[in-house]
Amino acid sequence: MKRNITQTLVDEHKLILRMLDVLERNASLTAEGLYTNYRFYLDAVDFIRHYADRFHHAKEEDVLFEALVNNGMPRENSPVAAMLMEHDRGRAYVKAMEEAATAALAGSTGRDGDIAENALGYLIMLREHIAKEDDILYPLAERVLPEEVRGGILAGYESAEARTPADFTERYTKAVEHYEAEELTRAA
């Protein structure tokens, strides 16, 4: 029986999706002028850049996608190329959201639309992206990657995790929980 090489990534998607839910609620309220905690957006950028991008996407880009390419999937015009393009598009949304939130925190008015537009664009794109990975790319990887490369993939994930602080996932889980609770408090 082949060792599962994508469950870790699917599990990480669950926390990312929770942050996207909070981002959607807050961005919708910001668009209506009802939520002005711009610090949240900078915390969301921190989560996205460190947890979703440097931690999670690094495992995908540097480990799983490379294994797929090394085992016959073309680098160009392939599912890997499409996923990498979407990672880059997501980074552009995040940068624009950060710039707008930073300006709003510094007192610049009229930035709510930019914040909401980029946050909503990002989360819509990323939800679709995660669905493609969970439903198409990861099952494909499980089917096509031979057992002899799976140990190296899992070791690559462990190496990426070893480069993070011991409380890394716990810290970002707590950040998401904090903003989820903020939502519940505001809704009550």
Side-chain angles (χ1 to χ4, degrees):
M1 182 159 104
K2 291 182 181 177
R3 288 177 281 178
N4 187 301
I5 52 169
T6 59
Q7 189 59 51
T8 296
L9 301 174
V10 170
D11 292 344
E12 291 167 2
H13 279 165
K14 291 174 185 172
L15 184 60
I16 294 166
L17 288 167
R18 286 173 59 195
M19 177 54 93
L20 294 181
D21 288 345
V22 175
L23 188 60
E24 180 176 31
R25 282 183 231 126
N26 290 348
S28 296
L29 291 168
T30 295
E32 296 172 24
L34 301 174
Y35 185 81
T36 57
N37 178 4
Y38 304 120
R39 167 58 43 204
F40 160 75
Y41 293 102
L42 296 183
D43 289 346
V45 166
D46 178 70
F47 174 91
I48 293 163
R49 285 204 176 127
H50 291 97
Y51 186 85
D53 202 5
R54 289 189 187 122
F55 180 68
H56 175 77
H57 287 167
K59 289 179 186 176
E60 290 176 337
E61 293 177 2
D62 299 340
V63 182
L64 182 65
F65 295 175
E66 283 302 310
L68 286 166
V69 168
N70 292 337
N71 283 274
M73 184 175 284
R75 189 173 297 278
E76 304 298 323
N77 299 315
S78 71
V80 166
M83 295 298 100
L84 291 171
M85 233 173 22
E86 289 179 4
H87 286 180
D88 287 341
R89 194 169 62 186
R91 291 174 184 122
Y93 279 123
V94 171
K95 184 176 191 283
M97 179 174 61
E98 177 186 38
E99 289 171 355
T102 299
L105 270 173
S108 177
T109 59
R111 301 309 303 257
D112 288 3
D114 294 336
I115 293 168
E117 179 183 330
N118 285 289
L120 293 168
Y122 173 76
L123 71 91
I124 290 166
M125 187 273 315
L126 195 62
R127 280 185 182 144
E128 292 172 1
H129 175 85
I130 288 171
K132 289 177 209 172
E133 288 179 339
D134 286 354
D135 299 337
I136 300 167
L137 185 61
Y138 294 171
L140 175 67
E142 291 292 352
R143 282 194 309 275
V144 302
L145 289 172
E147 180 60 33
E148 57 267 15
V149 303
R150 289 170 182 254
I153 291 169
L154 295 172
Y157 295 165
E158 289 174 13
S159 176
E161 290 170 7
R163 290 189 296 270
T164 62
D167 67 342
F168 182 81
T169 299
E170 180 183 342
R171 181 167 30 112
Y172 284 107
T173 300
K174 285 183 179 184
V176 171
E177 290 169 349
H178 168 77
Y179 285 110
E180 287 171 334
E182 178 188 63
E183 287 300 319
L184 294 174
T185 301
R186 194 171 53 246

